[in-house]
Amino acid sequence: MLKAKQYKSGVKPIWCPGCGHYSVLNAITKAFAALEQSPEQAVLVSGIGCSSRLPAYLNSYGFHGVHGRALPLATGLKVARPDLNVIALGGDGDGFSIGGNHFLHACRRNVDLVYVVMDNEVYGMTKGQASPTTPEHWQHSKLTPHGPEVRPFQPCALALAAGAGFIARGHSGDPNGLAQMLFAAVKHPGFAFVQVLSQCVTFCPEQVQWKEQVHAESVGTDNPAEAAHFLHSDDGFAKGIFYCNPRTPWPLPHDSQATDLREGFRL
Amino acid sequence: MNTALYEDELLFLAHSVTLEQEAAERLYELADTLEVHNNRPLHALFLELAQLSERHASDVLAHCQGRQLPALQAWEYSWPDAESPESFQYSQVHYLMSAEQALQVALEVEQNTLGFYSDVARRTTQPSLRQLAEGFAREEAEHVKAVQARLQALQCPALNNLDLDPPHSPE
């Protein structure tokens, strides 16, 4: 049985001091230790952005993909290698902007993988521009001097509407609670979405206050109507497992195999 | 907090070991990060604090020789807050922080740990556990004094507020 820190690769992270992603990294190692899995059993697949550097910091298999495409890569990998524990990772820009459509269809398709989005409401790697989850009146970027002036994306509500069977929100201020949430997400059969409020103290110093704003909620329903009611009145700072309703993951088992199909179409 | 912690010596030791090890790991992690960001003075400071913390973790481990501590998952520990008291919160640090701010963070976590051990020593009804917790609390009190002395040596006029610098926005 490995200790949590033994899942780290030894590569020194280049995230800013104070970044919430360190906490997510530690939560993942703690969840792996609790799962008692060997590093070779897991694959971490990411897109582009600060958070997408995470696979390099673990000694599991990793795939640092292209912008917004963590989910299609992870889907293909899981379908080809169902024996592996596949975790897709990324940030709010990567996952909800360029990768937004993949997010919706990953929820709908329900492949057995976990998707962790480290949401700091900003494009940090490119020095602080508004992302899909940036608050409407956030004025810290010269590109949007009056704020984005559009309502932020609601990832959990969208995940529910798109058909995700496991929806949760954690906070980087509570890596132990987040580890427990990730443990449950990995155990969940099907697509599991975990949004993590992960502060960017460099470009959004106001997010230091998140630790005062985050509050635990014990919703944990398998009823989509109850989950929808909760998520539509959510202030964005509730943490917990909001919805858990397992259904058979895709691809579904069939009697006929692809080889049989080839036989049927042989000329 | 889980009241079993106040009566079960092995459970208390399991908490103490994790508390000290996590503190050292986090300090090493921050020292590495500051090195990556080319902040050499703070890298050296946090490396020194990490080494001290690691030595303390070894001291606590020495109390566990030949004893089987309970194996707990990360979320099964009973801490006064979300994390073990000697681990600073990630959001407390910043790439532009000063030595004074760094030492303030170090002081806060040492005081939190002193409070944790003192609380156990005060609440337990087990004499051997009280003796152990009081011993750990005395060591933490020494750490608090050492960090306070470092802060005073810096002759910093304002030690009460962690006033982080504004974000760096080059665009």
Side-chain angles (χ1 to χ4, degrees):
Chain A
M1 183 176 162
L2 297 177
K3 290 188 171 181
K5 70 175 182 179
Q6 292 174 294
Y7 289 92
K8 290 187 180 175
S9 66
V11 175
K12 294 177 181 177
I14 63 163
W15 294 320
C16 301
C19 177
H21 303 346
Y22 287 98
S23 174
V24 181
L25 173 63
N26 282 328
I28 290 173
T29 62
K30 287 176 175 179
F32 279 5
L35 289 161
E36 298 184 20
Q37 66 172 15
S38 66
E40 304 81 41
Q41 286 176 286
V43 189
L44 293 107
V45 181
S46 65
I48 294 294
C50 294
S51 53
S52 289
R53 303 188 66 90
L54 196 144
Y57 307 139
L58 292 168
N59 60 5
S60 291
Y61 290 110
F63 196 120
H64 194 165
V66 291
H67 205 1
R69 313 303 176 206
L71 282 170
L73 285 166
T75 299
L77 179 59
K78 183 66 185 185
V79 171
R81 288 291 305 273
D83 54 312
L84 295 174
N85 173 15
V86 178
I87 298 178
L89 304 154
D92 41 295
D94 185 73
F96 305 142
S97 189
I98 190 167
N101 203 33
H102 295 306
F103 174 58
L104 297 179
H105 289 281
C107 294
R108 184 174 74 94
R109 189 167 286 120
N110 196 38
V111 172
D112 186 16
L113 56 88
V114 178
Y115 185 36
V116 180
V117 174
M118 287 160 257
D119 188 352
N120 55 16
E121 302 177 349
V122 74
Y123 283 96
M125 185 171 268
T126 50
K127 306 286 182 256
Q129 296 80 30
S131 83
T133 53
T134 302
E136 199 171 349
H137 303 296
W138 183 79
Q139 298 178 350
H140 294 277
S141 170
K142 289 175 185 168
L143 285 179
T144 49
H146 306 293
E149 297 185 305
V150 288
R151 294 177 63 185
F153 208 73
Q154 303 295 321
C156 292
L158 279 159
L160 180 71
F166 182 101
I167 302 167
R169 186 187 293 132
H171 176 224
S172 58
D174 178 16
N176 295 328
L178 181 57
Q180 185 176 21
M181 199 175 279
L182 294 172
F183 179 86
V186 172
K187 292 280 188 188
H188 173 82
F191 184 79
F193 171 59
V194 182
Q195 178 192 14
V196 185
L197 300 175
S198 180
Q199 77 275 349
C200 173
V201 297
T202 301
F203 295 107
C204 304
E206 67 278 8
Q207 291 174 354
V208 170
Q209 298 307 317
W210 276 357
K211 62 178 183 286
E212 316 297 339
Q213 296 167 278
V214 168
H215 51 95
E217 291 289 340
S218 53
V219 188
T221 180
D222 61 358
N223 181 329
E226 282 178 21
H229 178 74
F230 171 78
L231 289 171
H232 284 289
S233 56
D234 169 36
D235 65 358
F237 292 104
K239 69 172 180 180
I241 297 172
F242 302 142
Y243 181 63
C244 183
N245 189 355
R247 56 194 168 91
T248 309
W250 191 91
L252 301 174
H254 294 290
D255 292 337
S256 63
Q257 300 296 315
T259 50
D260 304 331
L261 290 174
R262 275 198 293 272
E263 282 298 316
F265 284 94
R266 189 182 292 276
L267 292 174
Chain B
M1 292 210 320
N2 181 359
T3 52
L5 185 63
Y6 302 124
E7 303 301 329
D8 184 336
E9 193 169 319
L10 290 177
L11 188 61
F12 170 73
L13 279 171
H15 277 71
S16 304
V17 168
T18 297
L19 182 158
E20 301 293 347
Q21 288 178 337
E22 285 191 347
E25 284 168 27
R26 186 150 308 175
L27 288 164
Y28 274 121
E29 186 179 63
L30 180 58
D32 282 348
T33 305
L34 290 161
E35 185 185 23
V36 168
H37 285 77
N38 208 28
N39 187 337
R40 292 177 188 178
L42 280 198
H43 161 67
L45 173 63
F46 279 110
L47 193 60
E48 183 191 335
L49 292 171
Q51 288 162 346
L52 279 171
S53 207
E54 193 172 36
R55 279 201 289 276
H56 197 211
S58 301
D59 293 342
V60 173
L61 266 176
H63 287 278
C64 310
Q65 286 283 333
R67 308 175 80 174
Q68 185 67 41
L69 302 186
L72 303 174
Q73 303 300 353
W75 52 90
E76 292 172 338
Y77 288 90
S78 177
W79 303 120
D81 210 336
E83 288 200 83
S84 52
E86 201 160 329
S87 295
F88 61 84
Q89 292 180 18
Y90 286 104
S91 60
Q92 284 182 287
V93 300
H94 194 271
Y95 79 111
L96 293 173
M97 76 193 303
S98 65
E100 291 84 1
Q101 290 165 342
L103 285 168
Q104 272 187 275
V105 172
L107 178 62
E108 186 183 321
V109 295
E110 294 292 357
Q111 287 171 331
N112 288 345
T113 312
L114 172 60
F116 173 76
Y117 288 137
S118 302
D119 183 52
V120 175
R122 193 169 50 251
R123 287 173 183 254
T124 185
T125 60
Q126 308 295 321
S128 62
L129 178 50
R130 183 179 300 115
Q131 192 180 4
L132 201 55
E134 283 175 346
F136 290 167
R138 275 195 298 276
E139 288 176 37
E140 292 303 328
E142 291 302 313
H143 296 177
V144 169
K145 279 184 197 165
V147 177
Q148 283 172 332
R150 294 279 292 265
L151 268 168
Q152 283 179 348
L154 289 171
Q155 297 182 323
C156 180
L159 300 178
N160 295 325
N161 295 311
L162 186 65
D163 180 21
L164 296 176
D165 292 294
H168 172 59
S169 298
E171 65 174 24

